[in-house]
């Protein structure tokens, strides 16, 4: 946290007990992110939920904008 590497927090408390509701962190350069909720496991209704698809689509959109 002191280095500004926390990029995601759980909004309603961490379901996994992570300290300070941290859900995602990045490396020092900011180009690699570790994410605990695993949105790829909830990207299609056939997998039980499509909630994670929003996170993945948002990342694709941000990357597409950055490459212009």
């Amino acid at each position: 946290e002191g280095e500004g590497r926390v990029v995601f927090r759980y909004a309603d408390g961490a379901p996994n007990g992570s300290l300070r509701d941290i859900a995602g962190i990045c490396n020092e350069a900011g180009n690699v992110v570790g994410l605990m909720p695993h949105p790829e496991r909830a990207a299609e209704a056939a997998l039980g939920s499509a909630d994670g698809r929003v996170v993945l689509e948002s990342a694709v959109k941000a990357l597409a904008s950055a490459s212009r």
Side-chain angles (χ1 to χ4, degrees):
E1 284 179 300
E3 297 171 356
R5 294 187 189 188
V6 175
V7 294
F8 294 106
R9 290 186 192 271
Y10 292 100
D12 296 320
N16 60 3
S18 69
L19 295 176
R20 301 172 64 92
D21 300 329
I22 295 172
I25 59 172
C26 68
N27 67 343
E28 187 175 350
N31 62 341
V32 177
V33 172
L35 184 62
M36 187 55 199
H38 301 285
E40 74 279 4
R41 293 180 140 193
E44 294 187 21
L47 299 173
S49 173
D51 293 345
R53 189 175 188 97
V54 175
V55 174
L56 298 171
E57 288 173 347
S58 177
V60 169
K61 184 177 178 180
L63 291 169
S65 294
S67 67
R68 291 182 191 173

